[in-house]
Amino acid sequence: MLCLDRDPVAIAAAKARLGSDSRVALFRAPFSALAACADAVEPRLEFDGILFDLGVSSPQLDDAERGFSFMQDGPLDMRMSGDEGICAADVVNGATADELVRIFREYGEERFAGRIARAIVTDRQQRPFTRTLELAGLIERVAPSRERHKHPATRVFQALRIHVNRELAALETARTRLAPGGRLAVISFHSLEDRMVKRFMRRHAQPDPMYAGLPDIPPHARPTLRLVGKSIEPDESEISANPRARSARLRVAERLSEGIAA
């Protein structure tokens, strides 16, 4: 079993629980480093199953110093690695208005991305954003409408978290490292991420549209995945035991054997 997590706290917990088991290999790395970590165990290693649990963990969300929450004051960080790569403050204070708009729309589907981005660029000229509540307060001030039961900063914070950590980039690597018949399972907690996972799986479960209608589809254009059932949602008993599971969605796809035509 190969275990990857970029959070040093999670790796320490995994080592305490699994470190003595010779069957387990632990790596402090993002999901996108799956191929490199697999090769470190065995060159061109393939898997019978890969599970990605996307998003923020409860310990990360509950720790204000990690900067994921707009409800608690903390440094504007959002790095799952804790200390590697760019943080959310680097993006908020360094990106152009157009780039901020793209991030907020692409990863957060924020309706008021332009208004929020312009306000950020104006305010950061006086003082850079360094704290979560500073950014959340600006968004609350300039967002013209409210969604019921949802803080106005929700979508922007989601967008920054996805942009900073780039978790979804791992899907392609996972697809190429699945053994024939191996299954890829992805848990996501936001509708946008779930749609991205859904689109990825559907795209690779169909032949290249360029060859649609042709009697003989070349191998490189054939589907490589098969969708396994519909998305799975938590039932009432699970939500009762773990309220944060209420928005979770699990999607599964299976790697087709080489040479299977559409």
Side-chain angles (χ1 to χ4, degrees):
M1 183 168 68
L2 192 80
C3 302
L4 279 69
D5 202 299
R6 66 177 71 191
D7 189 332
V9 176
I11 289 295
K15 284 182 177 178
R17 183 173 181 179
L18 303 170
S20 61
D21 193 327
S22 61
R23 300 169 300 175
V24 178
L26 299 170
F27 291 88
R28 183 187 171 191
F31 291 154
S32 57
L34 174 64
C37 295
D39 286 340
V41 175
E42 179 185 316
R44 299 305 305 168
L45 179 65
E46 293 184 330
F47 299 94
D48 293 321
I50 297 175
L51 169 64
F52 287 152
D53 183 358
L54 303 179
V56 186
S57 67
S58 287
Q60 291 169 335
L61 193 61
D62 293 338
D63 184 355
E65 291 302 306
R66 301 301 297 272
F68 288 103
S69 176
F70 46 76
M71 303 299 292
Q72 305 177 77
D73 189 42
L76 191 57
D77 195 317
M78 300 193 196
R79 289 174 295 183
M80 292 180 181
S81 62
D83 57 4
E84 297 177 350
I86 63 169
C87 67
D90 296 329
V91 178
V92 170
N93 294 312
T96 65
D98 287 345
E99 178 66 4
L100 289 174
V101 169
R102 184 192 68 79
I103 292 169
F104 298 160
R105 284 180 177 165
E106 183 174 344
Y107 297 129
E109 297 182 330
E110 173 56 61
R111 290 171 55 200
F112 306 108
R115 184 189 294 258
I116 294 169
R118 289 191 296 272
I120 288 173
V121 171
T122 298
D123 282 25
R124 76 188 186 191
Q125 294 175 359
Q126 303 300 318
R127 189 178 70 171
F129 289 88
T130 61
R131 311 290 295 181
T132 53
L133 291 189
E134 291 173 351
L135 179 60
L138 174 140
I139 298 168
E140 195 167 15
R141 188 181 78 240
V142 304
S145 69
R146 301 286 184 267
E147 293 180 73
R148 190 179 181 186
H149 304 310
K150 183 174 288 188
H151 191 284
T154 299
R155 295 179 182 277
V156 168
F157 271 63
Q158 171 187 314
L160 288 170
R161 188 260 299 168
I162 294 175
H163 177 75
V164 166
N165 294 290
R166 301 184 184 279
E167 292 177 275
L168 291 160
L171 294 175
E172 186 59 44
T173 301
R175 182 182 67 89
T176 62
R177 283 305 178 102
L178 277 174
R183 291 191 172 188
L184 170 64
V186 184
I187 302 172
S188 57
F189 288 82
H190 289 282
S191 58
L192 172 65
E193 286 175 308
D194 178 57
R195 282 197 295 277
M196 290 179 173
V197 173
K198 180 180 179 180
R199 285 197 293 264
F200 172 85
M201 290 182 172
R202 281 187 171 179
R203 183 171 75 250
H204 291 288
Q206 300 172 349
D208 188 329
M210 184 175 177
Y211 295 89
L214 296 182
D216 186 20
I217 300 176
H220 74 273
R222 297 173 185 174
T224 55
L225 296 177
R226 177 183 70 84
L227 303 182
V228 179
K230 298 181 179 180
S231 67
I232 300 172
E233 302 177 7
D235 59 22
E236 290 300 323
S237 62
E238 183 174 357
I239 295 173
S240 177
N242 178 20
R244 284 180 174 172
R246 66 186 180 277
S247 60
R249 298 291 182 274
L250 170 65
R251 292 186 183 275
V252 181
E254 182 177 294
R255 180 68 189 259
L256 294 173
S257 299
E258 299 298 328
I260 292 181

